[in-house]
Amino acid sequence: MTSPTASGALDAEPTKRDFIHILTGAMAAGGLAAVAWPFIDQMNPSSGVLAEGSPITVDLSKVSEGQQIVVLWRKNPMFIVHRTAANLEEIRKPSTLAMLSDPESEKMQQPPYARNWSRSIKPEYLVLIGVCTHLGCIPGYVPSPGSVNATWPGGWLCPCHGSKYDLAGRVFKSVPAPLNLPVPPYHFASASSVVIGANPPGETFEMSQIATL
């Protein structure tokens, strides 16, 4: 899968500078505004590491509340969101849950240790595979409640066919996407760093167990 560069062009092969991006989303009068992904020069995994699917470590110390960053692992975008207290309140509201197709995460789209109300190990940090479960597009981050429509709780909107996900990555009812956004194997190496691609000690979840991959 290719990813946008800072200039907005598509590269056939990712370079080292492509491995961590900050993705900012914006909603403009009836649609998602096009945005660039500026680079963070904090990690440069080799192409061999990426091809093998080896775990990657991401520094979270500079990720502000409400911010999403995007990293590449196994050539797929990984969404990491530092959720606010308001975000966490929103994903638990009955009004939000009523809009979702799988609010209790019953389908195998996450490791057992992330099958909970926040779909995460630490509620404030969400880690997702950022690929729409419809046709593999990359959904846009639209966190502000009410910015898509009056009932929008914040989340992701796929610009290709209109699939929607809340800020736990759970898919809405009556959209093309059939499943929640997957959660990859991951664990926290410290209070401010997350390792994507490796389970916590004692856990054995594999990517092959996720229905869409």
Side-chain angles (χ1 to χ4, degrees):
M1 179 179 296
T2 56
S3 63
T5 65
S7 63
L10 292 179
D11 290 335
E13 293 295 335
T15 66
K16 287 186 177 181
R17 285 173 59 86
D18 289 324
F19 288 99
I20 291 191
H21 312 277
I22 290 183
L23 178 65
T24 56
M27 179 62 62
L32 286 171
V35 293
W37 291 3
F39 303 116
I40 303 176
D41 293 322
Q42 65 178 23
M43 181 180 65
N44 291 302
S46 69
S47 57
V49 167
L50 187 65
E52 294 171 2
S54 298
I56 58 171
T57 301
V58 183
D59 180 11
L60 303 176
S61 63
K62 296 181 181 179
V63 184
S64 303
E65 286 192 350
Q67 185 180 19
Q68 171 181 268
I69 65 169
V70 182
V71 304
L72 291 183
W73 178 65
R74 290 188 174 181
K75 298 187 179 181
N76 285 300
M78 303 289 126
F79 294 169
I80 303 174
V81 179
H82 187 175
R83 292 182 290 198
T84 66
N87 295 154
L88 297 176
E89 180 180 354
E90 195 70 44
I91 65 174
R92 303 187 79 173
K93 286 182 177 179
S95 57
T96 298
L97 298 176
M99 292 188 285
L100 305 176
S101 178
D102 184 15
E104 302 300 326
S105 300
E106 294 179 359
K107 296 179 181 177
M108 183 61 78
Q109 289 297 98
Q110 62 282 312
Y113 50 84
R115 190 190 167 193
N116 50 44
W117 67 270
S118 65
R119 299 190 77 217
S120 60
I121 297 173
K122 294 182 179 183
E124 64 269 33
Y125 288 109
L126 179 66
V127 181
L128 296 171
I129 300 172
V131 177
C132 182
T133 58
H134 177 219
L135 293 177
C137 304
I138 300 177
Y141 181 49
V142 190
S144 299
S147 57
V148 173
N149 54 44
T151 61
W152 178 249
W156 288 270
L157 176 63
C158 183
C160 302
H161 303 97
S163 293
K164 295 180 286 187
Y165 305 86
D166 79 334
L167 283 170
R170 297 171 299 191
V171 70
F172 280 54
K173 296 175 181 176
S174 302
V175 299
L179 297 165
N180 296 342
L181 292 176
V183 177
Y186 77 98
H187 70 274
F188 286 88
S190 69
S192 61
S193 64
V194 65
V195 179
I196 297 176
N199 292 296
E203 300 286 348
T204 59
F205 183 76
E206 299 291 340
M207 289 289 288
S208 60
Q209 295 174 248
I210 291 176
T212 58
L213 299 175

